[in-house]
Amino acid sequence: MFGDKILQYNFPTTVRFGAGSSGELGDYLAKNRLSHPLIVTDPIVSQLPFFKKIISELGRKNISAEVFSDIHKNPVKSDVYKGTEQYDATHRDSIVGIGGGAALDVARAIVLRVNHREDLFKYDDLIGGDIYVTNDTPHFVTIPTTAGTGSEVGRSAIIADDETHQKKILFSPKLLAKIIFADPLLTMELPSFVTAATGMDALTHNMEAYLVNMVHPMCDGIALEGISLIHQSLEKAVNKPDLESRSKMLIASLMGAVAFQKGLGVVHSLAHPLSSLLDTHHGLANAVNIPYGMEFNIEGSEHKFKRMAQVLELKDQEGAAVVKYLFALNDKINIPHHLKDIGVKEEHIETLASLAIEDFAHPNNPRPVSREHFRELYLKAL
Ligand SMILES: NC(=O)c1ccc[n+]([C@@H]2O[C@H](COP(=O)([O-])OP(=O)(O)OC[C@H]3O[C@@H](n4cnc5c(N)ncnc54)[C@H](O)[C@@H]3O)[C@@H](O)[C@H]2O)c1
Ligand SMILES: [Fe+2]
């Protein structure tokens, strides 16, 4: 059965995948002569039994683990500054991110900040700031506890401004983890709502990456297999989780993040403003918007929708069938069909459309998206 044995992949970095792999952390750190890791997580994960077990096992191996968990649901710059202060004050030698996308993004941003002390947003990739990421970075390890963002395998961190809530992207190949311990057992107790929302984020990554108009057969192959794995396992992981469905979701989420090196698209640009303006969870925002965004994308990408329909084992291979599938999947995992059910009101739409057109994801969308399109899509989804 997939997931019950620990396997090693060396792509795109070292991945130790399988039940129990997180138990290898202590030996790995010791082997690399690291004894003072800063463990970055969020306030909820820091209280979970598996997290406490990881910390106590490190103690048994004489590793001094310092935990930093004071982060926001949608991470902001001051979270990164606080974590770096703790890194300095407690003389750390490495960083281990354990958690969902939020914790892993903060961990990665601290990795950047340790030896890059200009204003954090000077390194914003959207203004070409990646060229300033020139110094060494501390040894970085990630352990995902959700199956959605694939942030464990990413080279970027999404951090918002404390005041404006505008999201910035910190990017550098130096921010890729040296090793990932992807342990599906850590996701076994993930609440069904988080499983559903994060799983739809992973599906959105794979679908949007596949649709980006760039000839990249490697990423396309990964994205299509990612879509297939999610088709096989998301409903089960939400409603009747077992090790196999959790394992397939965990690898599919990692694959989505590899595939979206190609870029993302309209769905992420619809979703990001919901997190900035209304603090909506990233995955939930994608989940509600994906059927509408994919419907918008059919025109001009009919051949790619046919491939996706095949992977989803649909009889009808028109784009409309993929859209119908997405609504039906949302039904099965209790995601609402409409934005009004997740707190969006008609009066928000103009602001949302203005934020969406400024977003970084849609310039890669196969069909160009205007502000008016965003307005129409939000109104349709409302
Ligand atoms: N870096 C990237 O490439 C990238 C891509 C997409 C999204 N993101 C970012 O990722 C964030 C969203 O990440 P996410 O969807 O993983 O959500 P999350 O990190 O916010 O976690 C969702 C919730 O689940 C809880 N949780 C995590 N693991 C758990 C477990 N094993 N058991 C029980 N509860 C658990 C968390 O405490 C949190 O309350 C956003 O900040 C988004 O901007 C980053
Ligand atoms: Fe995402």
Short mmCIF file of all heavy atoms in Angstrom, two decimals, residues 149 201 205 260 264 268 272 282 286, ligand 2:
data_model
loop_
_atom_site.label_atom_id
_atom_site.label_comp_id
_atom_site.label_asym_id
_atom_site.label_seq_id
_atom_site.Cartn_x
_atom_site.Cartn_y
_atom_site.Cartn_z
N THR A 149 -0.94 23.29 0.18
CA THR A 149 -0.13 24.32 -0.47
C THR A 149 1.11 23.74 -1.15
O THR A 149 1.61 24.31 -2.10
CB THR A 149 0.37 25.37 0.54
OG1 THR A 149 1.33 24.74 1.38
CG2 THR A 149 -0.75 25.93 1.37
N ASP A 201 -7.12 23.33 -2.71
CA ASP A 201 -5.98 24.20 -3.07
C ASP A 201 -4.99 23.39 -3.93
O ASP A 201 -4.54 23.86 -4.98
CB ASP A 201 -5.31 24.70 -1.78
CG ASP A 201 -4.20 25.72 -2.03
OD1 ASP A 201 -4.25 26.43 -3.06
OD2 ASP A 201 -3.28 25.81 -1.19
N HIS A 205 -3.82 24.08 -7.76
CA HIS A 205 -2.42 24.22 -8.22
C HIS A 205 -2.18 23.34 -9.45
O HIS A 205 -1.61 23.77 -10.45
CB HIS A 205 -1.43 23.80 -7.12
CG HIS A 205 -1.46 24.71 -5.94
ND1 HIS A 205 -1.10 24.31 -4.69
CD2 HIS A 205 -1.83 26.00 -5.83
CE1 HIS A 205 -1.24 25.31 -3.85
NE2 HIS A 205 -1.69 26.35 -4.52
N PHE A 260 3.45 24.07 -10.27
CA PHE A 260 3.15 25.50 -10.45
C PHE A 260 4.39 26.40 -10.53
O PHE A 260 4.27 27.63 -10.54
CB PHE A 260 2.03 26.01 -9.52
CG PHE A 260 2.35 26.36 -8.10
CD1 PHE A 260 3.26 27.35 -7.76
CD2 PHE A 260 1.65 25.73 -7.07
CE1 PHE A 260 3.50 27.69 -6.44
CE2 PHE A 260 1.88 26.05 -5.74
CZ PHE A 260 2.82 27.04 -5.43
N LEU A 264 0.44 30.11 -12.07
CA LEU A 264 -0.92 29.79 -11.62
C LEU A 264 -1.89 30.51 -12.55
O LEU A 264 -1.56 30.72 -13.70
CB LEU A 264 -1.08 30.17 -10.15
CG LEU A 264 -0.30 29.29 -9.16
CD1 LEU A 264 -0.25 29.92 -7.78
CD2 LEU A 264 -0.93 27.89 -9.08
N HIS A 268 -6.47 31.55 -8.51
CA HIS A 268 -5.69 32.10 -7.40
C HIS A 268 -5.86 33.62 -7.31
O HIS A 268 -5.86 34.18 -6.20
CB HIS A 268 -4.21 31.71 -7.50
CG HIS A 268 -3.93 30.43 -6.76
ND1 HIS A 268 -4.26 29.20 -7.28
CD2 HIS A 268 -3.40 30.18 -5.52
CE1 HIS A 268 -3.94 28.25 -6.40
NE2 HIS A 268 -3.41 28.83 -5.32
N HIS A 272 -6.93 35.19 -3.74
CA HIS A 272 -6.04 35.99 -2.88
C HIS A 272 -6.75 37.20 -2.25
O HIS A 272 -6.57 37.46 -1.05
CB HIS A 272 -4.80 36.44 -3.66
CG HIS A 272 -3.82 35.32 -3.91
ND1 HIS A 272 -3.02 35.24 -5.03
CD2 HIS A 272 -3.52 34.22 -3.17
CE1 HIS A 272 -2.28 34.15 -4.97
NE2 HIS A 272 -2.56 33.52 -3.85
N HIS A 282 -7.01 30.32 2.55
CA HIS A 282 -6.56 30.27 1.16
C HIS A 282 -7.20 29.12 0.37
O HIS A 282 -7.68 29.30 -0.76
CB HIS A 282 -5.03 30.13 1.16
CG HIS A 282 -4.45 29.95 -0.19
ND1 HIS A 282 -4.35 30.97 -1.10
CD2 HIS A 282 -3.94 28.85 -0.81
CE1 HIS A 282 -3.80 30.51 -2.22
NE2 HIS A 282 -3.54 29.23 -2.06
N ASN A 286 -10.00 29.25 -2.84
CA ASN A 286 -9.81 28.57 -4.13
C ASN A 286 -10.94 27.59 -4.41
O ASN A 286 -11.43 27.49 -5.53
CB ASN A 286 -8.48 27.80 -4.14
CG ASN A 286 -7.31 28.69 -4.49
OD1 ASN A 286 -7.37 29.46 -5.44
ND2 ASN A 286 -6.27 28.61 -3.71
FE FE B 2 -2.69 27.92 -3.47
#
